[in-house]
Amino acid sequence: MNWQAVSFDWNQVRAFLATAEEGSFSGAARALGSTQPTVGRQVSGLEESLGVTLFERTVRGPMLTEAGQDLLAHAQAMGEAATLVSVVASGKSQEVTGQVTVTSSDLMAATVLPPIFLELQKTAPGIRIEIVASSEFSNLSQREADIAIRHVRPEQPDLIARHLGDFRANFYAASAYLEKAGRPRTLQELAEHRFVGTSNVERMVEVLQARGIPVRLESFVAYTGSGAAMWEMTRAGLGICLVPDMLGDGEPTVERAVPGVPSIEFPIWLVTHRELRTSRRIRVVYDALARGLKAIAPVAREG
């Protein structure tokens, strides 16, 4: 490698990359945990060391120049390589202490994970768990999370996944709602009721219609990006929702909207980055989640 050709500071490249991706010096400062003047100086320093102008300073904020556009892809590649260095280094850690980030849906985070992490604390009290409760997929390769619980198998080659089993879900409603609105006896009658759903309500309509339930978009009187909020609205009597059987059957104030309707199965995948499996603290959390989730997945199959 020609070390004499490397005439810039990595921190300056980080500042440039963050500014380009965040769209402003202030946004880059927040992303980097720095200050706006510091980011501005680092970008100016990079421009000076390279002898090019990377941003036009405008009233709307910094705008990439042609030279900045040319450099951006290379800076992104450097960022990905730097992230991989952190991933590998983290994977070599053998300490059963420190933070492990787990991402799952907020409904699972609120109802399924607490007892699993309670058991984990008894055996590994030095581990701190950060839970990213979101329906969005975190990028494990970019260290947005160490472990993910997903309902679909990942396709990225640098990830490893274990199929723990299949959860079951069905339609549930508050008993008070059904007493007032009437208890449907068939799927056709079910479709005439009010529903509560997730933000992607159009997709939910497609899924239900494919299962012979002729719901309409107008059937959903409320929808939210939060599964926990959806469940609370259902418990309050707003309408019918689709939730895991283990949750619905365990709540005394709700009941199955149409008894006898077969439950819908959905898979549970436990996912982590391949390098992170060599980290003891992440392996401890991974194994605890595998045991806990597999124990409550009614259709357990190895994958």
Side-chain angles (χ1 to χ4, degrees):
M1 180 171 179
N2 183 5
W3 295 106
Q4 298 301 319
V6 181
S7 59
F8 55 81
D9 185 315
W10 163 240
N11 287 323
Q12 294 175 344
V13 177
R14 288 176 71 236
F16 161 72
L17 182 57
T19 301
E21 292 185 343
E22 299 296 328
S24 67
F25 292 124
S26 59
R30 288 191 296 272
L32 296 174
S34 183
T35 64
Q36 183 173 341
T38 297
V39 170
R41 286 194 299 270
Q42 289 173 328
V43 171
S44 296
L46 180 62
E47 292 176 320
E48 182 177 350
S49 64
L50 296 179
V52 295
T53 300
L54 301 174
F55 291 106
E56 293 289 349
R57 277 66 168 176
T58 71
V59 294
R60 293 182 297 173
M63 305 292 291
L64 279 170
T65 63
E66 183 177 351
Q69 291 282 2
D70 292 340
L71 183 63
L72 182 58
H74 299 291
Q76 290 171 330
M78 290 179 64
E80 292 173 359
T83 298
L84 186 57
V85 169
S86 297
V87 168
V88 174
S90 177
K92 299 304 179 184
S93 172
Q94 296 301 304
E95 296 293 329
V96 192
T97 60
Q99 178 172 304
V100 176
T101 302
V102 178
T103 180
S104 75
S105 69
D106 69 319
L107 184 60
M108 178 171 287
T111 60
V112 175
L113 298 187
I116 296 177
F117 290 141
L118 178 61
E119 287 299 312
L120 174 65
Q121 279 295 298
K122 296 177 182 178
T123 58
I127 291 180
R128 303 187 311 277
I129 301 295
E130 177 189 10
I131 301 176
V132 179
S134 172
S135 58
E136 300 295 327
F137 280 175
S138 295
N139 190 326
L140 300 190
S141 299
Q142 293 297 317
R143 294 302 304 275
E144 293 178 354
D146 298 314
I147 301 171
I149 303 169
R150 296 179 176 173
H151 300 315
V152 295
R153 184 172 191 169
E155 298 180 354
Q156 298 92 327
D158 59 339
L159 299 182
I160 54 176
R162 181 180 177 186
H163 180 208
L164 301 177
D166 295 345
F167 280 4
R168 292 189 175 116
N170 214 307
F171 298 98
Y172 291 86
S175 298
Y177 165 82
L178 293 174
E179 289 171 3
K180 182 178 179 180
R183 287 177 169 81
R185 295 166 296 178
T186 65
L187 295 181
Q188 293 289 332
E189 292 182 3
L190 176 69
E192 298 303 317
H193 279 258
R194 301 199 306 265
F195 283 81
V196 180
T198 58
S199 292
N200 194 356
V201 66
E202 291 86 359
R203 174 58 181 161
M204 178 60 72
V205 169
E206 293 176 2
V207 170
L208 296 183
Q209 288 181 348
R211 292 182 175 273
I213 306 171
V215 297
R216 305 177 305 279
L217 191 62
E218 295 77 16
S219 302
F220 286 82
V221 296
Y223 44 92
T224 172
S226 167
M230 178 190 71
W231 176 234
E232 290 304 315
M233 286 190 289
T234 302
R235 291 179 63 232
L238 200 60
I240 296 171
C241 78
L242 183 67
V243 295
D245 292 357
M246 57 179 294
L247 179 60
D249 290 344
E251 171 55 53
T253 65
V254 306
E255 59 187 86
R256 295 199 181 197
V258 186
V261 171
S263 296
I264 300 171
E265 295 180 1
F266 60 96
I268 297 295
W269 290 90
L270 193 60
V271 187
T272 189
H273 192 281
R274 195 173 298 275
E275 293 287 348
L276 293 179
R277 288 296 298 275
T278 58
S279 166
R280 285 192 64 198
R281 72 177 187 279
I282 295 176
R283 181 57 186 263
V284 165
V285 177
Y286 187 94
D287 289 346
L289 286 167
R291 288 192 302 271
L293 292 171
K294 191 173 182 179
I296 58 178
V299 183
R301 295 194 299 265
E302 290 294 335

